[in-house]
Amino acid sequence: MNAKKLLICFLTLCLLLCACGKTAPAQGETTGSEPKTEQATGVGETSSAPAALPTNAATNTQTPSGSAQPTKGSAGNAGNSGASSGSGSKTSGNSAANAQKTPVATATQPQKQNTISLSITCKNAINNGILDDPNYAGVLPENGVIFSSDAVKIESGDTVMQVVKSTLKANKIVYQIASDGYIKSISGLGEFDCGAQSGWLYKVNGVSPSISTRYYTLKPGDRVELIYTCKQGDVS
């Protein structure tokens, strides 16, 4: 009986030792796997860290294109500066061109004035011998031109009567003009002084108007003639 008990105890001990031996390797394997896991994790972390760096490097590589934007911006600013300076030069050039054009335009295109030409003549009376009369000798000009100017100023709406009156008054030439515009006398030479058909006529641009001087409105550039006639047909 003792032998059997010893055998049983021995077997039981062997089983316990086997069980302990199996358990220890398992723990060793687990422990060994854990370092491997840590090593793998360490490698993973190590590889992930460098991998992160290239990623950032790649990002930074793209960032230079982003930084290229500042670079382009810098170049662009330089270009813009050049463009600005260029545009400035163009502006100054245009200003210079305008400055040059202005005097030329002023020189080549003088300012227009509202003027007409006006002539007052009594050549027919001179040819008719009016100067033989002592009342007219020394009063009327021998060439028959009482007044002549190509630059008589007018205002908008001026009539022949208004311009003739103001011109004669300004040149201190005596005259008589009726309120209806009929010209009775200029420089002492009046109607009927050279016959029954004599008197003053007027023309504008070579044409005898059908209205009196009071109603004929002038425009710049008109040519007005006051002509003394002695008989019908001596004023062409």
Side-chain angles (χ1 to χ4, degrees):
M1 290 296 293
N2 292 327
K4 288 181 180 181
K5 288 182 180 180
L6 291 173
L7 180 61
I8 292 170
C9 291
F10 178 76
L11 292 174
T12 302
L13 180 62
C14 289
L15 291 173
L16 291 173
L17 290 174
C18 290
C20 292
K22 290 181 179 179
T23 304
Q27 291 176 355
E29 287 176 1
T30 304
T31 307
S33 62
E34 288 177 356
K36 287 182 182 179
T37 303
E38 291 176 358
Q39 184 177 0
T41 305
V43 171
E45 290 176 355
T46 306
S47 61
S48 62
L53 291 174
T55 303
N56 293 333
T59 305
N60 292 333
T61 306
Q62 293 178 356
T63 305
S65 69
S67 65
Q69 291 178 352
T71 305
K72 288 181 181 178
S74 303
N77 291 334
N80 292 333
S81 300
S84 300
S85 61
S87 62
S89 61
K90 287 181 181 178
T91 304
S92 60
N94 292 334
S95 301
N98 292 333
Q100 291 177 355
K101 287 180 182 178
T102 302
V104 172
T106 304
T108 56
Q109 297 179 358
Q111 184 178 4
K112 291 183 179 180
Q113 294 181 346
N114 293 334
T115 60
I116 64 164
S117 64
L118 174 62
S119 64
I120 304 173
T121 60
C122 59
K123 293 180 181 181
N124 291 325
I126 300 298
N127 295 334
N128 198 51
I130 191 70
L131 294 180
D132 295 337
D133 188 332
N135 293 323
Y136 297 99
V139 177
L140 297 175
E142 294 183 357
N143 64 356
V145 179
I146 297 174
F147 178 84
S148 180
S149 174
D150 291 332
V152 176
K153 292 183 179 181
I154 64 170
E155 300 292 337
S156 178
D158 277 353
T159 63
V160 173
M161 183 181 76
Q162 290 173 319
V163 173
V164 169
K165 277 186 173 183
S166 61
T167 301
L168 293 174
K169 185 176 181 180
N171 288 274
K172 298 180 180 180
I173 300 173
V174 295
Y175 65 88
Q176 287 184 330
I177 299 178
S179 60
D180 61 357
Y182 178 74
I183 301 173
K184 293 184 176 181
S185 69
I186 296 176
S187 192
L189 180 62
E191 57 180 348
F192 311 134
D193 286 348
C194 289
Q197 297 180 336
S198 62
W200 288 96
L201 303 176
Y202 86 100
K203 289 184 176 184
V204 179
N205 301 324
V207 179
S208 297
S210 58
I211 57 177
S212 73
T213 60
R214 177 181 178 178
Y215 302 106
Y216 193 100
T217 303
L218 294 169
K219 61 183 183 298
D222 280 344
R223 179 169 52 89
V224 179
E225 299 173 272
L226 271 62
I227 306 170
Y228 190 86
T229 179
C230 295
K231 57 184 179 180
Q232 188 175 0
D234 62 356
V235 177
S236 59

